[in-house]
Amino acid sequence: MQVTAEHRPAPVPPPGSRGIDEILAAARAQLHRLDPERAHLACRAGALLVDIRPAAQRAAHGVVPGSLAVERNVLEWRFDPRCPARLPQAVDYDVPVIILCQEGYTSSLAAAALQDVGLHRATDVVGGFAAWRIAGLPALGPTPMHRAAPLAPPVNTGWARH
């Protein structure tokens, strides 16, 4: 019988550690989160909507037109105004950045990380792209995955002898 995580007793956490629910709650406590409609209005007023989902997730579910795709693993480097790898949009610490993920969890952690870098106006979208789509806001896609062209029947080149 294979032992799975749900059949094991929870390990004793190290002193001072926090569970992900605590970490998420702390991140959200420092954000002024926006519902999709308010996020859309903020973007129309000049805020940057940054989609941190992996490319495969954006292709599978769709994208918001005009959003900036910056995958999560490089977000802080791209938006830290003092970093040489920053994006041209990372001009100062007052840039309004709204983070978008699929369901609004990872985006909260990412927006809090940007606030830690100094971008005090960073926030996220409650419910993520899924809520954006449900709200009927502008979205494109999903993008069909590219399929290889079907194989053509073999061409008789004269090599085959019957």
Side-chain angles (χ1 to χ4, degrees), residues 43-159:
C43 292
R44 292 183 65 184
L48 293 174
L49 184 64
V50 179
D51 190 335
I52 62 168
R53 297 175 298 156
Q57 201 171 39
R58 292 190 309 271
H61 297 281
V63 297
V64 175
S67 63
L68 182 62
V70 178
E71 292 192 16
R72 176 65 188 99
N73 62 325
V74 295
L75 183 69
E76 291 88 345
W77 286 270
R78 299 300 180 253
F79 279 94
D80 183 350
R82 65 194 128 202
C83 180
R86 72 184 173 277
L87 293 171
Q89 295 89 335
V91 294
D92 62 39
Y93 297 96
D94 199 40
V95 174
V97 177
I98 303 169
I99 305 297
L100 183 73
C101 70
Q102 187 61 32
E103 295 181 351
Y105 293 94
T106 303
S107 59
S108 295
L109 301 175
L114 287 183
Q115 285 193 358
D116 290 344
V117 168
L119 281 84
H120 63 98
R121 296 175 68 188
T123 191
D124 75 326
V125 178
V126 175
F129 181 77
W132 183 281
R133 183 72 97 168
I134 289 168
L137 294 169
L140 301 172
T143 305
M145 298 302 285
H146 297 288
R147 286 196 261 165
L151 294 175
V155 177
N156 186 350
T157 60
W159 288 92

